[in-house]
């Protein structure tokens, strides 16, 4: 039943050599990896305006130079990451680059930061998409969390099905969103050029009283939230079709160009149309309404915007499992993250991401907007470390023309570091949590690593000298009566060794006497030891007895407990059997160094 | 940690011979077994008045004759149950009496009815007690369910501690409640007698238009809800101090007298004070206010009333586990209900009752008042069957003076049967569920019984001819590499048999070649079989391999899979290991007839 449900949801299992088919073409990669970055234009300009409007309408013209600054930053990031892609064709995420050039510890800071960030991406994006849905259908508002959770569940299942099929589903909305925004920008600017717009924008270049560097920096850092998601491509190079690094670099450049044009276009339109941020209507919505009126094109733009926010969450589903895989390979996360599922995705990573994002959505009660700055700083820390790593690399390897590359990454490092500091400086009240979760994740990585290394040490043997030796073995069989199951178990034990002891635990004299007599009558060739339990406990007398055997047996070595286990025909019958044997298993296994053999007895009725 | 928490909540374990100390004295038994019955006076009179008031104030005088009829019924029940107690000194619940005299099937109907009823008792009583609490503190109203659940949890823990200690905690409120109600009745009637009351009661004996037999019967059956809980004593005879049947009979009589006096007293006061039922204030509350004003005595009566409703739920905690024990002994319920816990209570019964009542409280959203009629009919069905059983018994055994006893039970049977029919006739819309849950429980009992009997048949052996025989054994060890754990496991296997095979499951040629080479180099004396898995599944190739071994081995018999299991030092390290071995265990156990031995490997780090 469960298996059939799994097949229906996830699809048939795939062979390992089908892995190649699952690689992404450039266009598909653009859809699946860039929806996070592209969706940011839905709120990037607005974030800038929200900060500026605190000084009044006249200050809004600053959004143009600030947008250009963000654009410059985007260019720097794209150029820097292009270099990373070619240097690390097997996947050049911040974790790899930082680890490779700055040491494991720095790599873990970058990796941990990104890992937490992907969870935030899913929670924040699905909440934002939910907002879009509930804005359209206000009567759905009480079900915000449920809607967000359904989205997360849907994303999880889709990703368990495999990355290419997901991309096919996801590609169209991204294309439509890009087409819609470009249409809006072209039509909008054309109408501005033809003087078709009545709005009076804030006077450009006017000195506004109260403007401060702090405020401008704050507005700039807010605008930088439009750049989250740029790193996704460099993390996912192995998912590209060959030649993967070239395709990845082209995809990154294409994404940068599209993102930059859309962002600048929206900022310009917002300025020319004299739009100020409103509480209930987004800036993009205001522009679309001003350009097209509340017609079908308006609703088309609104709809695709809502959809792409939902898809932005999907980016994390591509990135998180890959990063978890890399960390697990380096023994910083549980091995389970290295296992590819039936459909060749890293199932455990996908499931864990879905679960954690779901928990985050629940505990934040669906209002994750406040997490956006935290989410942004969580991206800029690994950005900075990755650039620093690349600088170190150029300096170390000094290939031809290294100085210019060093400078490109140097500029990238300085700017991303500055932005990280600006975040801390201007928005500390929203980002302080980074100082809690980063150390926690870091310590977790280290603990897991230490554990795996210690175990590997402990388990290592010398092939030449360490060989298995046969020792003695005592088999203990707890019996509650004389039945076919007991006979079966004794027969099994006798086929292993002659050293077999049956143990009966009685609660009162009458039972004990009866059992002893019956056993004698049976005469099965195995000695019966009777223990009296005054507390009606099975476990304690058994443990004591095993300790005695251990003490007597210290040289011969092994002790085996044989526990018969009923396998009923119907699952519900399990609650009618096996409770005691489960208890015995659990206790003995936890506290004693004995081998526990469960001998199955399949019930026919 | 868990163990320490258990000790703190439940107390130290007790020896079996301490069981005697856990027996109840008469006064304690009154407190623990009769709170259900006594608490009914809190709403019995009110239930009658609610039906009568539909015809107007003038009809309220009918409550006096109806109360006297209920009183007569109570007398009949007490007399009948006295006879049961002496006939069944080891416990004469409806299940035992009906089974003994009318056959197992009838017994199961009675037992099933009571079992479900005890769950209803807990849910209904805790909800009613919650109502009392939230009436006093209206701002607690949104937390009704939470309060009810806390009460259920508290009752469950208290009962897991053991019955005597519970009684000590619970005895005082019962005594205080009885004292309070008697004080109210005496003072109230004294004030009526001295003409100190201004109220004008409905004219006694006046013919009221619209009165019908249907309505009078409905009012009567509503009043009968005051009699739920009377059977508790006869179910719990073994819990009494010796001479248990005499003590139980005295307790029953004492309870009957107290219950009858309180019920009649409240009905009389309600009449003389001219009280009609109100939506927000209970009848008892109105009487108390009229007799004492809103002073300390009023609050004392309200408080103890609330408390005793809570304690009524506790009656079910004494009765349910005992009945479940009897049903389990007869193999109609899982054996697990026969196990006495550390504190000598039937822990599983207590826990299951708590869980089911909690679920009921949650699904009914804390509004269980509508369940009261269902709860009443669930008591009267076993009442009737029990009386019928006693009649059959007298007729069959014919002891000296049997005819008078036969008649006593006969009258009891006829009246309780009539009330059952009245319930069905006047309140079908509220009691129809009995026709669903009774068949479900009945079928469940039969299924469990059939299963246990079939298994017992299957397991029975002939001591003279059936003896265990030694056969061959093949040990299969899945290995993932060559480590100390593998060496350990092979060493263990070699101490059992020479027929040992190691199995390696590889995903690609490189791994396989490496492993084969290393194994050869090691030369441990065990053959390695390599399986290639194209779907990255460990399970499927292993299962196939075992099928081959089974086929080759069909004569020699046993196959054992040795699975090494890591026992880490800290519990959290478990998520870093053992996933694959758990999976293997689960699948092979479910689908194959192989013995699975888990060889522990205790990690030091």
């Amino acid at each position: 039943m469960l298996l059939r449900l799994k097949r229906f949801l996830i699809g048939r299992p795939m062979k390992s050599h089908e892995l190649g088919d699952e690689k992404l073409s450039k266009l598909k990669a653009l859809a699946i990896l860039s929806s996070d970055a592209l969706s940011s234009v839905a709120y990037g300009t607005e974030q800038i305006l929200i900060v500026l409007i605190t000084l009044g309408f006249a200050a809004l013209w600053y959004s143009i130079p600030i947008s250009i600054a963000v654009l410059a930053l985007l260019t720097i990031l794209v150029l820097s990451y292009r270099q990373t892609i070619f240097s690390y064709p097997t996947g050049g995420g911040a974790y790899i680059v930082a680890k490779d050039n700055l040491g494991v510890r720095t790599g873990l800071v970058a990796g941990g930061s990104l890992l937490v960030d992907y969870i935030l991406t899913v929670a924040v994006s699905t909440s934002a998409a939910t907002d879009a849905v509930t804005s359209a259908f206000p009567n759905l508002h009480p079900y915000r969390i449920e809607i967000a959770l359904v989205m997360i569940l849907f994303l999880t299942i889709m990703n368990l099905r495999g990355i290419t099929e997901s991309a096919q589903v996801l590609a169209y909305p991204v294309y439509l969103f890009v087409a819609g925004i470009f249409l809006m920008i072209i039509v909008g600017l054309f109408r501005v050029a033809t003087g078709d717009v009545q709005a009076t924008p804030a006077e450009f270049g006017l000195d506004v009283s109260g403007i401060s560097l702090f405020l401008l920096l704050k507005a700039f850092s807010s605008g930088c939230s439009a750049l989250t998601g740029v790193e996704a491509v460099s993390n996912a190079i192995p998912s590209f079709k060959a030649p993967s690094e070239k395709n990845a670099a082209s995809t990154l450049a294409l994404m940068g160009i599209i993102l930059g044009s859309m962002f600048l276009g929206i900022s310009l339109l917002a300025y020319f149309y004299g739009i100020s941020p409103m509480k209930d209507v987004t800036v993009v919505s205001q522009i679309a309404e001003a350009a097209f009126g509340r017609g079908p094109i308006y609703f088309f733009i609104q709809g695709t915007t809502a959809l792409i926010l939902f898809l932005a969450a999907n980016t994390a589903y591509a990135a998180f499992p890959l990063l978890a895989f890399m960390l697990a390979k380096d023994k910083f996360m549980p091995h389970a993250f290295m296992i590819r599922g039936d459909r060749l995705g890293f199932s455990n990573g996908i499931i864990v991401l879905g679960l954690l994002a779901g928990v985050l959505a629940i505990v934040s009660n669906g209002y994750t907007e406040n997490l956006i700055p935290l989410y942004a700083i969580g991206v800029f820390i690994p950005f900075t470390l990755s650039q620093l790593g690349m600088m170190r690399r150029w300096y170390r390897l000094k290939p031809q023309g290294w100085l210019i590359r060093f400078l490109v990454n140097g500029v990238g490092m300085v700017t991303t570091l500055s932005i990280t500091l600006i975040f801390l400086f201007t928005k500390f009240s929203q980002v302080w949590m980074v100082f809690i979760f980063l150390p926690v994740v870091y310590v977790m990585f280290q603990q897991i690593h230490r554990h795996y290394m210690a175990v590997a040490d402990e388990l290592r043997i010398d092939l030449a000298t360490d060989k298995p030796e046969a020792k003695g073995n005592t088999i203990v069989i707890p019996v509650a009566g004389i039945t076919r199951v007991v006979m079966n178990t004794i027969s099994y034990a006798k086929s292993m060794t002659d050293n077999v002891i049956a143990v009966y635990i009685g609660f009162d004299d009458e039972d004990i006497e009866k059992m002893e007599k019956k056993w004698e009558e049976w005469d099965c060739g195995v000695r019966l030891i009777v223990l009296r339990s005054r507390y009606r406990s099975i476990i304690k007398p058994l443990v004591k007895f095993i300790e005695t055997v251990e003490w007597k047996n210290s040289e011969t070595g092994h002790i085996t407990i044989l526990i018969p286990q009923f396998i009923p025909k119907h699952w519900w019958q399990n609650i009618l059997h096996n409770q005691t044997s489960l208890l015995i298993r659990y206790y003995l296994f936890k506290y004693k160094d004995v081998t526990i053999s469960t001998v199955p007895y399949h019930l026919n009725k």
Side-chain angles (χ1 to χ4, degrees), chain A:
Chain A
M1 236 295 288
L2 261 175
L3 191 74
R4 232 178 296 156
L5 182 69
K6 182 181 160 194
R7 282 288 152 274
F8 173 72
L9 291 174
I10 318 287
R12 66 168 183 86
M14 302 172 83
K15 293 188 182 173
S16 297
H17 64 69
E18 293 182 67
L19 198 58
D21 302 343
E22 293 287 303
K23 303 265 170 164
L24 298 169
S25 72
K26 271 181 282 185
L27 218 58
K28 274 188 189 165
L30 188 70
I32 200 168
L33 295 172
S34 67
S35 50
D36 183 17
L38 296 184
S39 69
S40 318
V41 303
Y43 49 79
T45 304
E46 187 161 1
Q47 296 283 322
I48 298 174
L49 295 180
I50 286 173
V51 176
L52 293 176
I53 197 73
T54 54
L55 292 183
F57 184 75
L60 292 188
W61 72 267
Y62 286 109
S63 67
I64 300 300
I66 289 174
S67 294
I68 291 170
V70 172
L71 216 62
L73 177 60
L74 173 64
T75 314
I76 292 168
L77 277 180
V78 169
L79 288 178
S80 311
Y81 268 106
R82 261 184 80 86
Q83 298 193 156
T84 310
I85 288 171
F86 284 106
S87 302
Y88 289 90
T90 56
Y95 167 62
I96 300 282
V97 175
K99 187 185 77 167
D100 204 29
N101 297 296
L102 305 170
V104 173
R105 282 147 197 252
T106 319
L108 289 181
V109 172
S113 188
L114 277 175
L115 216 52
V116 177
D117 220 54
Y118 292 137
I119 304 165
L120 283 166
T121 307
V122 175
V124 168
S125 302
T126 51
S127 299
T130 306
D131 280 340
V133 172
T134 56
S135 303
F137 306 99
N139 51 345
L140 288 178
H141 206 269
Y143 307 105
R144 300 188 80 245
I145 295 188
E146 286 84 353
I147 294 172
L149 290 180
V150 166
M151 285 184 187
I152 292 172
L153 186 69
F154 182 69
L155 280 168
T156 306
I157 290 172
M158 219 165 50
N159 278 281
L160 287 174
R161 284 194 73 94
I163 204 164
T164 301
E165 284 185 62
S166 311
Q168 276 165 355
V169 178
L170 302 182
Y172 307 110
V174 178
Y175 305 148
L176 293 177
F177 171 75
V178 172
I181 295 289
F182 272 112
L183 181 71
M184 181 176 85
I185 292 168
I186 291 163
V187 172
L189 289 179
F190 180 77
R191 291 189 59 197
V192 170
T194 56
D196 197 15
V197 181
Q198 267 93 48
T200 46
E203 194 184 332
F204 196 89
L206 186 80
D207 213 6
V208 178
S209 77
I211 194 80
S212 65
L213 185 64
F214 181 85
L215 205 88
L216 288 175
L217 288 177
K218 192 171 176 185
F220 174 60
S221 70
S222 295
C224 289
S225 63
L227 303 182
T228 54
V230 169
E231 81 292 354
V233 172
S234 66
N235 268 321
I237 307 169
S239 298
F240 279 85
K241 271 192 185 152
S244 50
E245 59 265 46
K246 249 194 92 190
N247 285 330
S250 314
T251 305
L252 177 67
L254 190 60
M255 185 183 81
I257 291 166
I258 295 173
L259 173 61
S261 330
M262 294 202 299
F263 179 67
L264 188 64
I266 289 173
S267 289
L268 284 173
L269 285 179
Y271 172 70
F272 285 123
Y273 281 73
I275 282 164
S276 26
M278 286 165 70
K279 194 165 171 287
D280 293 328
V281 188
T282 63
V283 167
V284 172
S285 163
Q286 291 184 59
I287 297 173
E289 194 173 349
F292 300 109
R294 273 200 168 250
I297 301 185
Y298 165 80
F299 283 108
F300 172 78
I301 288 173
Q302 285 303 101
T304 50
T305 306
L307 212 51
I308 203 171
L309 278 166
F310 164 66
L311 297 187
N314 195 58
T315 313
Y317 276 92
F320 181 98
L322 256 170
L323 183 55
F325 166 80
M326 291 182 218
L327 284 162
K329 221 168 121 186
D330 292 343
K331 297 181 187 301
F332 292 107
M333 281 183 71
H335 288 337
F337 286 103
M338 285 169 69
I339 301 168
R340 275 184 192 275
D342 285 346
R343 301 285 289 185
L344 305 173
F346 296 110
S347 322
N348 289 323
I350 293 169
I351 292 167
V352 166
L353 175 63
L355 284 178
L356 290 177
V359 168
L360 203 62
I362 290 171
V363 299
S364 69
N365 213 9
Y367 293 96
T368 45
E369 292 82 352
N370 284 327
L371 298 176
I372 289 180
L374 184 63
Y375 160 50
I377 199 174
V379 176
F380 275 92
I381 290 173
F383 274 2
T384 309
L385 294 174
S386 164
Q387 305 301 334
L388 191 65
M390 287 304 291
M391 286 170 70
R392 180 83 193 277
R393 181 186 164 88
W394 300 128
Y395 186 75
R396 188 161 46 88
L397 300 179
K398 293 201 177 73
Q400 224 201 339
W402 68 273
L403 195 64
I404 184 83
R405 293 179 184 171
F406 176 84
L407 286 177
V408 168
N409 285 123
V411 173
M413 193 280 282
V414 171
T415 40
T416 49
L417 177 64
S418 312
I419 290 161
T420 308
L421 295 175
I422 292 171
F423 265 113
L424 283 181
F425 181 53
T426 61
K427 299 187 170 178
F428 186 77
S429 66
Q430 290 174 293
V431 302
W432 59 269
M433 266 195 291
V434 82
F435 292 107
I436 294 186
F437 75 69
L438 254 190
V440 166
V441 171
Y442 182 82
V443 168
M444 200 186 73
F445 285 158
Q446 292 286 18
Q447 289 282 357
I448 291 174
H449 191 70
R450 201 165 305 148
H451 175 76
Y452 275 135
M453 295 317 281
V455 170
D457 254 13
E458 203 177 327
L459 301 188
R460 194 169 296 123
I461 60 172
D462 184 343
L463 291 186
T465 57
D466 291 330
K467 311 277 178 193
E469 281 173 69
K471 290 200 223 168
N473 195 349
T474 306
I475 295 185
V476 176
I477 308 177
V479 296
I482 301 177
T483 62
R484 193 159 300 278
V485 177
V486 169
M487 189 176 84
N488 237 29
T489 312
I490 291 176
S491 138
Y492 174 80
K494 277 183 149 182
S495 67
M496 306 279 252
T497 172
D498 291 330
N499 206 358
V500 182
I501 307 169
V503 177
Y504 175 74
I505 293 155
F507 297 151
D508 61 52
D509 295 338
E510 201 186 328
D511 287 353
I512 290 175
E513 205 173 307
K514 224 165 104 188
M515 181 68 185
E516 275 172 337
K517 215 175 132 195
K518 227 174 144 190
W519 192 268
E520 209 170 301
E521 188 190 333
W522 191 29
D523 186 29
C524 66
V526 165
R527 194 157 50 109
L528 179 73
I529 303 263
V530 171
L531 307 172
R532 182 165 324 214
S533 169
R534 289 196 303 181
Y535 288 93
R536 301 161 315 287
S537 160
I538 303 272
I539 305 295
K540 276 186 208 159
L542 195 59
V543 168
K544 257 198 191 150
F545 175 72
I546 285 165
E547 275 163 6
T548 320
V549 177
E550 262 177 349
W551 178 76
K552 278 192 189 158
N553 242 35
S554 50
E555 275 141 65
T556 46
H558 303 296
I559 297 176
T560 305
I561 316 289
L562 284 195
I563 300 177
Q565 184 157 348
F566 289 99
I567 317 285
K569 278 189 107 173
H570 306 287
W571 66 265
W572 62 266
Q573 293 167 344
N574 270 313
I575 60 165
L576 306 178
H577 303 286
N578 293 333
Q579 281 90 352
T580 309
S581 57
L582 276 178
L583 223 66
I584 294 179
R585 256 190 75 77
Y586 175 78
Y587 271 88
L588 291 185
F589 221 92
K590 194 149 172 215
Y591 297 110
K592 296 275 122 200
D593 197 9
V594 295
T595 298
I596 295 180
S597 288
T598 28
V599 185
Y601 191 90
H602 293 262
L603 291 173
N604 293 321
K605 285 162 199 164

